[in-house]
């Protein structure tokens, strides 16, 4: 098997674990490559970028929290299967705990099981913006300023409201920012967009779950400049008005199937916090 390791670089313990994991995998007869920033921080030669990755690895191993997994997925083109080793807080996207990582990885064989996770594609009046695995957030560039939104479904205005922002989440992201904003936990097998108003002015503004088979548009009207933030990483200025169209991405994320199901993770990571 050919492994590509990317680690969070702000934690020495995570970097040391990534180095040790690579050594153990190589001793077991596997090929290991390092992402270039990870390799540079470890003062190792031979690191490669995500752009150089296609055809050189079978899967990506992300050592870190959910942010590390999200950044890896965002940089991959095309997508490779990814497995996360939790070195963060909750680590909902990072399936493996560090004590079981080596055993799990060395047990993988060619043809291992992969689960597809829907991503959302966002497009403005000026063209495509990007894809999100967890969510996109529309907020003002100045804190604590309200925006005016209209949710348009198949050409009809479903709701107009004022709020601090709006979260457009995948089912995978329903356990992230959308949940903190009052949204429900959604089965990741559902192809839908979770729309959660962030601190709405009227209590009647509630979360929606809309099928991706529908035409979904978010219209923005404001006197304050707004930004679209994708998975907490990519920031796109939206200006004072315009519309964002939301569709199912043609390029889903791929996750190596681990021993735990989605609902087991909900019980272990969320209900017992």
């Amino acid at each position: 098997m050919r492994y590509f390791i990317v680690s969070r670089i702000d934690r020495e313990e995570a970097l040391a674990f990534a180095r040790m994991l690579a050594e153990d995998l190589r001793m077991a007869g596997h090929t290991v490559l390092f992402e270039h920033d990870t390799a540079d921080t470890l003062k190792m030669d031979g690191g490669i970028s995500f752009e150089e990755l296609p055809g050189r690895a079978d899967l990506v191993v992300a050592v870190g929290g959910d942010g590390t997994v999200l950044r890896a997925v965002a940089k991959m083109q095309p997508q490779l299967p990814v497995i996360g080793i939790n070195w963060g807080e909750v680590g909902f996207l990072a399936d493996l705990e560090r004590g079981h990582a080596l055993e799990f990885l060395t047990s993988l064989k060619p043809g291992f099981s992969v689960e597809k996770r829907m991503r959302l594609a966002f497009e403005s009046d000026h063209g495509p913006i990007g894809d999100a695995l967890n969510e996109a957030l529309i907020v003002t560039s100045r804190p604590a300023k309200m925006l005016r939104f209209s949710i348009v479904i198949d050409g009809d205005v479903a709701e107009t409201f004022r709020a601090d922002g709006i979260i457009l989440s995948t089912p995978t992201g329903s356990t992230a920012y959308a949940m903190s904003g009052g949204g429900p936990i959604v089965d990741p097998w559902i192809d839908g967009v979770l729309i959660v108003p962030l601190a709405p002015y009227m209590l009647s503004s509630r979360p929606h779950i809309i099928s991706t088979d529908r035409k979904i548009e978010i219209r923005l009207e404001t006197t304050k400049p707004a930004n679209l933030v994708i998975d907490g990483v990519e920031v796109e200025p939206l200006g004072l008005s315009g519309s964002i169209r939301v569709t199912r991405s043609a390029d889903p994320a791929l996750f190596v199937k681990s021993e735990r199901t989605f609902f087991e993770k909900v019980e272990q990571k969320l209900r017992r916090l």
Side-chain angles (χ1 to χ4, degrees):
M1 296 284 289
R2 300 173 298 170
Y3 299 91
F4 178 77
I5 296 179
V6 55
S7 173
R8 61 183 300 173
I9 59 176
D10 60 339
R11 292 278 298 273
E12 291 184 6
E13 300 94 337
L15 287 163
F17 178 85
R19 184 196 294 273
M20 180 182 66
L21 179 64
E23 292 172 354
D24 290 341
L25 288 171
R26 285 167 176 155
M27 287 182 63
H30 302 287
T31 299
V32 179
L33 295 171
F34 274 97
E35 183 266 339
H36 66 86
D37 288 340
T38 304
D40 286 349
T41 308
L42 286 169
K43 296 180 172 55
M44 300 170 58
D45 296 327
I48 66 172
S49 67
F50 279 93
E51 290 75 17
E52 299 172 286
L53 184 57
R56 301 180 66 176
D58 299 307
L59 72 155
V60 173
V61 179
V63 180
D66 287 355
T68 308
V69 176
L70 289 170
R71 285 190 290 273
V73 170
K75 291 180 178 180
M76 275 191 280
Q77 185 65 34
Q79 292 291 309
L80 282 178
V82 61
I83 185 78
I85 301 174
N86 187 24
W87 213 289
E89 298 297 331
V90 178
F92 206 87
L93 294 176
D95 281 345
L96 298 180
E97 299 303 327
R98 61 202 73 164
H100 301 96
L102 179 63
E103 179 183 0
F104 178 85
L105 291 174
T106 53
S107 72
L108 292 176
K109 300 292 187 292
F112 55 84
S113 297
V114 173
E115 180 179 353
K116 292 183 179 181
R117 290 291 185 94
M118 181 190 73
R119 295 200 293 164
L120 294 176
F122 298 92
E123 182 179 1
S124 72
D125 298 332
H126 305 291
I129 300 173
D131 294 357
L133 173 58
N134 262 1
E135 78 278 304
L137 171 68
I138 301 177
V139 289
T140 61
S141 54
R142 295 170 57 196
K145 297 296 182 181
M146 299 192 85
L147 299 171
R148 180 180 176 88
F149 299 97
S150 292
I151 301 174
V152 183
I153 309 297
D154 290 338
D156 297 322
V157 177
E159 185 176 1
T160 297
F161 59 90
R162 292 171 63 213
D164 284 358
I166 190 170
I167 301 167
L168 307 167
S169 170
T170 66
T172 295
S174 70
T175 53
Y177 198 178
M179 184 179 67
S180 299
I185 295 173
V186 182
D187 184 344
W189 285 16
I190 291 175
D191 280 348
V193 181
L194 177 55
I195 304 175
V196 181
L198 189 60
Y201 180 71
M202 299 295 292
L203 294 179
S204 57
S205 298
R206 308 306 302 164
H208 294 64
I209 300 177
I210 308 297
S211 169
T212 53
D213 290 332
R214 295 187 178 275
K215 295 180 180 179
I216 303 171
E217 180 184 358
I218 307 297
R219 292 177 185 166
L220 173 67
E221 300 174 13
T222 178
T223 58
K224 304 103 179 169
N227 290 329
L228 179 75
V229 184
I230 296 179
D231 280 339
V233 178
E234 183 179 352
V235 179
E236 176 75 14
L238 298 178
L240 300 179
S241 65
S243 66
I244 299 296
R245 288 167 291 283
V246 188
T247 59
R248 182 196 299 113
S249 172
D251 195 17
L254 306 175
F255 281 85
V256 179
K257 280 192 176 180
S258 69
E259 299 169 350
R260 290 184 295 183
T261 68
F262 171 78
F263 297 103
E264 286 175 326
K265 286 189 287 184
V266 168
E267 172 66 17
Q268 293 169 2
K269 292 181 177 287
L270 298 182
R271 310 233 187 257
R272 298 182 186 179
L273 287 177

